[in-house]
Amino acid sequence: MDFSRYFRDYPTPDGHFGPYGGAHLTTELKEAFEEINAAYQSICQSAYFINELRRIRREFQGRPTPVYHCDRLSRKIGNCQIYLKREDLNHTGAHKLNHCMGEGLLAKYMGKKRIIAETGAGQHGVALATAAAYFGLECEIHMGEVDIAKQAPNVTRMKILGAKVIPVTFGQRTLKEAVDSAFESYAKNYKDSIYCIGTAAGPHPFPLMVRDFQFCIGEESRQQFFDMTGHLPDAVCACVGGGSNAAGSFAAYLNDPVDLYGVEPLGKGANTGDHAASINYGKPGTLHGFDSYVLADENGEAAPVYSIASGLDYQAVGPEHAFWHDLGRVNYVTASDKEAVDAFFMLSRYEGIIPALESSHAIAYAIRWAKEHPYGSILATCSGRGDKDVDYVVEHYGYGDDREY
């Protein structure tokens, strides 16, 4: 497929990437999402909006984030070179602020006074609470009880920033249920609120909006890598739950001779069922108002999922990722909990960078790729820093002193 016209053709006006995407909504929510789409389409080409967002990114977020060469880690593995796009250095410690500041600016344009959202690992919740404080908006974050216990530092940060954190106590009490709860609240309050989904999934226009707001990751890294080396990387990889950081990481490279790898969470292993690798082990279905690959049970209901990384344990994947998979443009691979934890400690010990457990999946695959290639280069998106995960990791895995370095 020629990708030179890709962004003109996809998504279609009704939000489809091939057979995926769209918007399956109640009458009330249909009206609300159409309002968001109309507002976004009216300002996404506006020089004022674009320049204001660029100013915010430069002066408030600290963009551009750098590309970093992992010299010691690369030499430990062999002759293949590993690079990182350092989204962990973005303000609030993850890529999530890229789309949250855009959504906050959109909310102000629409005259809304409240932002409603879900969060899994808490990075989206922290970023949205930050955006709400910046723009002077109320903020309501829905979070599963399991993730609240697991990600206590981020819960504290959200509350300090002024957000109201709503514990979700039904179902598995993780990300899917947090989305359900946030949608329910939004349906009751959409007149004065905007829903800000935390990934490149959900009903149209959110896969488009989030991809656009995250495009800066790939746009920056492509130029930075070329400036550093005189060529493009052989491969780019990023972790994939719903798929926001990966969408932004890949989009700028679609028409380049660069291999792209989306790394899904294999959890405790494919045979255990305790994973969240929806492209590798799911099938086409519908969840939360959009069509994509979904992990479902024999009755077609969303199946229980698991990952050590709270931001990746979601039953579906963004519709554009499903489309890229079917086109064969992006390879969707997996990394297990064990591989992610190993990568967490390796990057910490060899490079002085403590990554988020979500990012550790991408780094695990970059290490695997480097071992399999005698030369070349791979660029992994370090989507977030690991401050939020250190207590959990130490409790379950110690300080990594039992490993060889």
Side-chain angles (χ1 to χ4, degrees):
M1 178 178 176
D2 179 8
F3 284 88
S4 60
R5 291 180 52 87
Y6 177 83
F7 296 108
R8 291 187 180 184
D9 297 337
Y10 299 103
T12 58
D14 60 354
H16 280 88
F17 301 89
Y20 309 108
H24 306 287
L25 299 162
T26 63
T27 302
E28 281 189 337
L29 283 178
K30 182 179 180 181
E31 178 184 342
F33 275 74
E34 286 177 348
E35 179 191 18
I36 294 172
N37 185 44
Y40 179 67
Q41 295 296 343
S42 73
I43 65 172
C44 68
Q45 302 295 330
S46 162
Y48 172 79
F49 180 86
I50 293 168
N51 288 328
E52 178 63 7
L53 188 57
R54 285 175 176 171
R55 184 193 66 79
I56 289 169
R57 286 176 172 171
R58 182 178 62 253
E59 298 176 6
F60 181 69
Q61 290 184 232
R63 300 205 70 88
T65 59
V67 164
Y68 170 74
H69 179 210
C70 296
D71 180 59
R72 292 192 68 232
L73 180 61
S74 299
R75 284 190 281 115
K76 168 66 178 176
I77 293 168
N79 291 320
C80 185
Q81 303 304 305
I82 298 173
Y83 292 77
L84 300 181
K85 176 58 171 168
R86 296 290 307 277
E87 289 302 292
D88 57 309
L89 296 180
N90 197 34
H91 180 45
T92 73
H95 72 289
K96 295 291 187 180
L97 199 62
N98 297 333
H99 66 255
C100 288
M101 294 307 289
E103 289 170 339
L105 193 57
L106 178 64
K108 290 293 286 186
Y109 171 81
M110 295 174 68
K112 304 296 185 181
K113 70 176 186 179
R114 181 190 299 110
I115 295 175
I116 298 172
E118 84 298 328
T119 194
Q123 287 300 127
H124 175 60
V126 170
L128 205 58
T130 300
Y134 180 93
F135 290 109
L137 300 166
E138 297 175 23
C139 186
E140 179 180 302
I141 303 295
H142 296 249
M143 190 174 188
E145 278 189 330
V146 170
D147 295 332
I148 286 175
K150 204 171 167 184
Q151 305 291 346
N154 274 346
V155 177
T156 300
R157 293 168 74 194
M158 284 183 264
K159 290 180 177 179
I160 289 173
L161 289 162
K164 181 180 180 182
V165 179
I166 310 295
V168 179
T169 60
F170 58 89
Q172 284 190 278
R173 299 172 293 141
T174 55
L175 185 54
K176 174 189 175 294
E177 289 76 21
V179 175
D180 292 336
S181 179
F183 264 117
E184 183 179 346
S185 177
Y186 181 53
K188 297 174 182 175
N189 298 288
Y190 70 90
K191 293 291 186 183
D192 64 356
S193 304
I194 185 172
Y195 181 71
C196 295
I197 198 163
T199 190
H204 181 64
F206 279 96
L208 165 66
M209 284 173 48
V210 172
R211 192 272 318 275
D212 286 355
F213 288 140
Q214 292 292 345
F215 188 82
C216 58
I217 300 175
E219 183 179 41
E220 289 175 7
S221 73
R222 187 179 184 278
Q223 186 63 52
Q224 290 167 325
F225 195 95
F226 187 85
D227 290 344
M228 291 174 72
T229 66
H231 53 77
L232 295 179
D234 294 298
V236 173
C237 69
C239 66
V240 176
S244 57
N245 92 92
S249 298
F250 299 157
Y253 294 92
L254 290 178
N255 213 37
D256 292 323
V258 174
D259 294 333
L260 304 174
Y261 297 92
V263 189
E264 294 195 297
L266 192 59
K268 298 177 182 178
N271 295 330
T272 68
D274 287 333
H275 63 77
S278 45
I279 289 183
N280 280 276
Y281 296 99
K283 57 186 179 182
T286 302
L287 184 68
H288 292 139
F290 70 102
D291 299 319
S292 187
Y293 280 93
V294 180
L295 289 165
D297 60 23
E298 60 276 6
N299 298 316
E301 300 294 325
V305 292
Y306 161 81
S307 170
I308 193 173
S310 298
L312 301 181
D313 59 353
Y314 186 52
Q315 285 88 345
V317 66
E320 192 163 25
H321 287 291
F323 188 46
W324 287 342
H325 167 267
D326 286 7
L327 291 175
R329 181 61 189 95
V330 180
N331 307 287
Y332 291 88
V333 296
T334 61
S336 67
D337 281 1
K338 181 182 183 305
E339 290 174 304
V341 172
D342 288 344
F344 175 94
F345 282 116
M346 285 191 73
L347 191 68
S348 299
R349 292 296 181 100
Y350 283 102
E351 298 295 341
I353 299 169
I354 302 175
L357 285 172
E358 290 77 15
S359 314
S360 298
H361 287 72
I363 294 157
Y365 183 75
I367 291 170
R368 187 195 312 166
W369 193 93
K371 289 178 178 178
E372 294 170 352
H373 292 76
Y375 54 84
S377 59
I378 183 167
L379 172 65
T381 298
C382 186
S383 56
R385 66 184 182 221
D387 303 36
K388 66 185 180 58
D389 295 314
V390 291
D391 291 342
Y392 178 86
V393 169
V394 169
E395 180 182 351
H396 292 84
Y397 300 95
Y399 293 94
D401 294 333
D402 58 335
R403 300 160 190 268
E404 293 185 8
Y405 300 103

